[in-house]
Structures are given as C-alpha cells and as structure tokens.
Amino acid sequence: MSRIKSIAFLLLVATLALAACGGGAAEEEADCAPNCEYTDMVFCYPQLGAESDWRTANTASFKENAGDLGIRLIFSDAQQKQENQISAMRACIQQEVDVIGLPPVVEDGWEAVLTEAQDAGIPVIIVDRSVTADESLYASHIGSNMVLEGQRSADEMNSLLPDGGKIVELSGTTGSGAAVGRAEGFRMNLNDNIEIIDSQTGNFTTAEGKPVMEAFLTKYGDEIDGAFIHNDNMAIGAVEAMKAAGLQPGDIVIVSVDGTRGGFQLMIDGWVQADVECNPLLGSQVYAMALQLMNGETIDREVLTDETVYYPGEAEELLPSRQY
Ligand code: AHR
C-alpha cells in the first residue's frame, strides 16, 4: 500500500470508529424507550429563585405534578443567581438525570453548561424565560411570549391615557428574558404621545419594587400619570409607596403583569387598571414533553402559553377561583 493510500485507510477506520460510538453526538433516547413511563423519569429542575408569587406557583406546579405522576424530581432554588443554577445543572448532569428543565434567570451565558448537558446526552427544556444560546443546544422552549405581554401592556396603557402622558417603568430582573421581552414589546406598541420618563429595575420583588417607586415619586412627584410594572409583586411594593405618599387609587394608572391573586386584589382595590396574564402552571406540560423526549418522539421546538388580560370589573368574581 502506498503511503497516501495507507493514510486514507487510517482516516476511514477512524471515521467509522467515531460513527460507531456516536461521534460525541447527543443520544437523547432513554434505555426504556419507546415505552418509558413517568415512573421511569428522573427530572431535574434548578429553579431560579422564590422572588414572586408567580415563582411560588411555578415551583408548586412542578412539585405537585411530579408527586401525582410518580416522577423523581431533583429540585433546587438558585436564589436568583445564575452561578447557582449552573452548579445545580452540573450536579444533575453528574447524576445522569433523564431530562433537565431550565428556567433561566437571565438570557445570556448558558452555552457552556448546555453543551455539557448535550455531550452527556441529557436533553434540556428551557422553561418560562428564554435564552440567547443557539437553538441546537436545547430541545425546546415552553413558556410565555414575553414580547406579546409587553405589547398587550402598551395597548392597555394607550387606552388608559388616550391623551398621552408621562409614565415610569418598574422593570424585572435586568437581563432576564421576561424583562427584556416585556420592555421591547411595550415600546413597540406604546403611542407616541406617551413618554417613558424613567425605567428602573425592582428585580421582580415586592421588597425592591417599593423603594424604586418611592424614588420615582420623590424625583417626579405629580408629573407621573402612569406606571408599567413588570410583575404583580413589584406592583404591591409600588402601591405601598404610593399609599405612604398620600396618593389615591387611580392618581397614577398602573398596568401590571402576572395575574396573581395579589394583582387581582390590587384591581379590586382600584390601584391596578389592567393585569396582563403570565401563566406559571407549566409542570404537567413540561413533564409530558420530557416523556416524549425519553421515548425518542418528535417534539415542538417552541410551545408558547395561551394568555389573556384581566380587568378590575371581573376581578372580584374571578379571585376565589385563582390558583395562584
Ligand atoms: O419569568 C416570569 C416572571 O418571573 C414573572 O412575571 C415574575 O413574577 C417572575 O418573577
């Protein structure tokens, strides 16, 4: 064999050997496929935190559904820190879980750990907020259309301030898919005669929302006609600040997001004029997709939740049946 022929032969053997062992490609089907059941599943959910009532409901949805279906759930709380979520994911990869559900605290910075999961053959479903990582690094995204929520919020603000006005924005966690999407959608639909005079983060919490509104009131006083608040928990904090400043319901119109019981109560009390729904009850839907992945079935790349807008007129009637 000439030297060139033997090199070509060696290259062919190496290629065949790589193909036989998968060549490093992700192997997403489980050993029990195609007959896996929920009781076969070990599911990892590195929850991003416990910052809001929405989040509490989301956690309950995953825990309760896992209990009902017989899924072994590995749950952790990252306390709104991306590094904690990444560590929790790495621990799950080590434990060779079947599927990971990732609700990412921020959009950027997931490439490395998603690649590690893929190399280990563990599919990842992005839950709730989005990531900027390449789509090839995860199986699917199940959650809300945050841009649409922002657009709906702007439509409500346009109706509340038909003659225009000045508004402030209490934004969610900086760099999170929820805050980025809502801010973008809001600006897409907001009428030209409405000016956003300030925008600050309240990190999706009541405790941080209150001082942000206090600072807005100190700085702008009577100038503020409206507030776009990225979640109900920050709205609760903002209303506390408004009450302390002697304001009455309606002095500043508020459009909030989530549709939690707390948001409904603010509508009943007259402080919030529209609450744009963001549904946290994703557990059963995500588990159904995880089972499909274990069985090697084809899944949708993106599943967006169907949502609506709630108003004060219906709040009293709907509040008793709200699940979160
Ligand atoms: O990502 C969903 C958002 O996160 C909810 O609007 C908010 O309440 C939560 O903290």
Side-chain angles (χ1 to χ4, degrees), residues 51-52 54-55 128-129 146 178 182 204 230-231 258 278:
E51 76 284 2
S52 63
W54 188 103
R55 191 65 52 198
D128 162 29
R129 305 174 185 175
M146 305 297 184
R182 287 171 193 169
F204 283 128
H230 284 207
N231 84 342
D258 275 356
C278 181

Side-chain angles (χ1 to χ4, degrees), residues 96-115:
E96 299 180 354
V97 300
D98 293 302
V99 182
I100 297 172
L102 171 66
V105 63
V106 289
E107 286 190 305
D108 295 341
W110 297 101
E111 286 77 4
V113 74
L114 287 174
T115 304

